[in-house]
Amino acid sequence: LTFNSKPIINSLSKKAEENVDDAESVLRAIEDHLRFTVPKYKLPAFYLLDSIAKNVGGMYVSLLHGRLTKLFIDMWRSVDDMVKSKMERTMGTWRNGFDGGKRNLFPEFVLRKIEEDINRLKARAKETAKMVPESTSDDLLDNLTGMQSYAKKRALEEKHQSAQREVVARADSYNGSAHHQRQREQGNGHHKRQRTPDKIKGVFNHDLLQQINAMIMKKKVEMLRRPNDTHLFAVHDALKEYKAIVLEAELPPERAREFRDQLAVLDNIQSSGLPGSGN
């Protein structure tokens, strides 16, 4: 029974009457259906129960005395307001609707208990509604916009950090290869290091610092033109880190050459990717 059909409900009520000796099994089957079926199919089964109680009565009504309250309230909690209203209207027909208005279908204490539980649930729902502030459509839109902005900002930061790590790793890899190549050349006698007089040691730091400052200024100008270029921002941050290293201590010639190799790699990075990307 998945929709409200009077002929089907009448037919099932007739079968319940024919099987009154199995009234307990019939009621249990209807209870299980009301408990486990989806809300939109519960009202027709509720009307079937109402029809059996009114048209067959007897054993079915007696068996319902002890279970009607729980059955009614459990269903009432699970359905929407329109179905709740129809259930309450049906319950209204159970009072003073028999023997010329002198008798209830179910005992008064059963009906009163159902009404008390419904009123208590309604009062609780009103109190809950008061505790939850009403949100206007503008508030919801503002909240949604704020969450979207935060998510976009966070994604850009993560992309920026990832690009920076990639840039530094590529520069370090390039520098390591160049360093090993020079070591091999020195081992083969292709290159002899010249001893640097003490009086000109500071030249390496000074030249490197000028080179790094010039590159930083260049990248800042490019960043103004391409504010969404994450690789460009990563290169700028890497240059600032190299500048801090150069300012901290005087570098020997070999270390200075390694820095120049790294700067050459960074300067060759294009806005669309890393060296060798083909872009």
Side-chain angles (χ1 to χ4, degrees):
L1 185 59
T2 58
F3 62 99
N4 184 23
S5 169
K6 189 173 182 179
I8 294 177
I9 290 175
N10 289 340
S11 174
L12 292 174
S13 297
K14 185 65 174 178
K15 289 184 179 295
E17 184 177 13
E18 295 170 354
N19 294 276
V20 68
D21 291 339
D22 293 323
E24 177 66 33
S25 299
V26 173
L27 287 179
R28 190 179 301 116
I30 298 175
E31 284 181 304
D32 290 342
H33 180 76
L34 287 171
R35 184 179 297 112
F36 298 114
T37 193
V38 294
K40 66 179 181 178
Y41 295 149
K42 291 188 177 186
L43 187 61
F46 178 78
Y47 284 154
L48 172 61
L49 195 66
D50 173 73
S51 175
I52 292 174
K54 290 176 178 176
N55 298 314
V56 182
M59 182 61 70
Y60 288 103
V61 172
S62 299
L63 291 173
L64 281 170
H65 287 178
R67 64 182 80 181
L68 184 62
T69 300
K70 177 174 172 53
L71 186 151
F72 191 102
I73 295 301
D74 286 349
M75 176 178 166
W76 193 88
R77 284 173 168 166
S78 67
V79 296
D80 58 32
D81 290 342
M82 183 179 68
V83 176
K84 285 184 174 73
S85 177
K86 292 180 179 180
M87 290 178 65
E88 293 175 32
R89 191 179 308 123
T90 299
M91 186 179 66
T93 66
W94 295 344
R95 179 178 276 118
N96 302 325
F98 300 87
D99 292 342
K102 298 178 181 179
R103 183 174 64 87
N104 296 340
L105 178 61
F106 299 103
E108 180 64 26
F109 74 89
V110 174
L111 300 179
R112 188 181 301 114
K113 182 64 169 63
I114 294 175
E115 291 173 341
E116 289 173 354
D117 287 351
I118 290 176
N119 291 334
R120 184 164 52 253
L121 290 173
K122 288 181 177 179
R124 188 181 303 168
K126 288 181 179 179
E127 290 299 323
T128 303
K130 291 179 182 178
M131 295 173 62
V132 179
E134 294 184 1
S135 297
T136 64
S137 58
D138 290 339
D139 293 334
L140 295 175
L141 182 60
D142 290 343
N143 291 337
L144 179 60
T145 303
M147 289 188 290
Q148 289 175 336
S149 298
Y150 175 80
K152 185 176 181 180
K153 180 181 178 181
R154 183 61 181 165
L156 186 60
E157 289 177 352
E158 291 178 353
K159 186 178 180 181
H160 181 193
Q161 293 171 0
S162 176
Q164 182 180 356
R165 289 192 295 268
E166 191 176 0
V167 167
V168 173
R170 180 62 67 88
D172 288 344
S173 175
Y174 181 89
N175 174 70
S177 299
H179 177 68
H180 291 312
Q181 177 64 27
R182 282 195 297 271
Q183 285 184 330
R184 286 195 297 270
E185 291 176 352
Q186 290 171 6
N188 294 330
H190 294 160
H191 176 75
K192 293 183 179 180
R193 178 188 295 180
Q194 299 295 327
R195 188 177 184 276
T196 303
D198 293 341
K199 64 180 180 180
I200 62 172
K201 282 184 179 179
V203 172
F204 294 102
N205 284 43
H206 178 71
D207 291 346
L208 273 176
L209 194 58
Q210 284 187 329
Q211 184 178 357
I212 292 173
N213 283 334
M215 289 180 65
I216 288 176
M217 292 301 299
K218 176 182 176 182
K219 298 304 177 185
K220 283 184 176 180
V221 173
E222 294 177 2
M223 286 159 59
L224 292 175
R225 296 173 180 171
R226 299 192 297 275
N228 295 323
D229 191 334
T230 56
H231 283 93
L232 193 56
F233 278 81
V235 170
H236 176 266
D237 291 345
L239 288 171
K240 290 172 67 177
E241 293 179 5
Y242 292 153
K243 179 178 178 180
I245 295 174
V246 171
L247 289 173
E248 284 179 359
E250 190 173 283
L251 301 177
E254 181 67 19
R255 186 59 175 157
R257 278 194 293 271
E258 292 176 0
F259 263 67
R260 287 195 177 90
D261 291 338
Q262 291 176 334
L263 294 176
V265 173
L266 293 176
D267 195 35
N268 190 41
I269 289 178
Q270 305 297 319
S271 63
S272 58
L274 297 171
S277 65
N279 295 329

